[in-house]
Amino acid sequence: MHTERVTIEGVDFETTLHLDGPIGLLALHGAVEGGTAELAREVAARTGTTLLTFTQPTGPPQHIPSIRMSPCTPLTAFLTHATLTISLHGHNRRSAPRTIYVGGSNRPAARVLATALAGSPFTPVTTLSGIPHPLRGLHPDNPVNQTRDGGVQLELPVRARTTHPAPTDPEVPPREVVDGIVAGVRTLMESEGGRW
């Protein structure tokens, strides 16, 4: 596990990188989208996947869009090592408090993860027309799409990423969501010799 401080657009981040299996768990907005970094860490620990989280140790949390997260050393190492990315994000759509939007460029992998999450108390949506445009995660500059096999962007409502919706330390991801993503990752690891 390697920790490094980086600065992107004047914002200081602490990154935590652990290179392991070919699937990579990514949390670009761990300080802003509560529970995403904790969720990524727990899934990675249970599946042996590669992990990269970004948090902001000081100052008010600032959200830099994914497509503007520059290729700092930890992100470059992650994108070079992993072959498929699962990027965890948070959404606050009041009209969809129990909806997990499953975007990203790798649609077969997205369907695998959605199937694994179907048993949770949340509803996964994989049809791109049913995902709000800003949450689809399809831009080529989005890190989720820059590994060899592209990736899956999971946009999670507050209660799907933390059992403490008010600011707390630490955030605790819901067990059903952790179990669902773990099951999906394991299915992806077993499928087609690791190709999706």
Side-chain angles (χ1 to χ4, degrees), residues 22-24 78-79 82-87 103-107 109-110 137 140 142-153 195-196:
I23 294 177
F78 174 92
L79 295 173
T83 57
L84 176 77
T85 298
I86 298 169
S87 191
S105 63
N106 191 316
R107 305 315 298 152
N142 187 328
V144 73
N145 300 315
Q146 294 181 341
T147 41
R148 184 190 72 194
D149 295 320
V152 179
Q153 181 161 304
R195 291 305 304 269
W196 308 279

Side-chain angles (χ1 to χ4, degrees), residues 3 9 14-15 27 36 47 67 83 97 104 114 128-129 133-134 142 158-159 171 174 187:
T3 301
E9 296 188 7
E14 183 173 278
T15 65
T36 54
T47 57
I67 62 172
T83 57
L128 291 175
S129 61
H133 191 269
N142 187 328
V158 173
R159 292 189 184 276
E171 302 278 5
T187 299

Side-chain angles (χ1 to χ4, degrees), residues 8-29:
I8 299 172
E9 296 188 7
V11 179
D12 291 328
F13 292 91
E14 183 173 278
T15 65
T16 301
L17 174 66
H18 177 68
L19 299 177
D20 203 337
I23 294 177
L25 268 291
L26 179 63
L28 292 168
H29 304 122

Side-chain angles (χ1 to χ4, degrees), residues 108-155:
R111 287 187 286 276
V112 168
L113 283 167
T115 298
L117 285 162
S120 77
F122 301 92
T123 303
V125 174
T126 57
T127 305
L128 291 175
S129 61
I131 301 175
H133 191 269
L135 307 182
R136 291 178 185 170
L138 296 176
H139 197 287
D141 291 340
N142 187 328
V144 73
N145 300 315
Q146 294 181 341
T147 41
R148 184 190 72 194
D149 295 320
V152 179
Q153 181 161 304
L154 292 178
E155 291 279 356

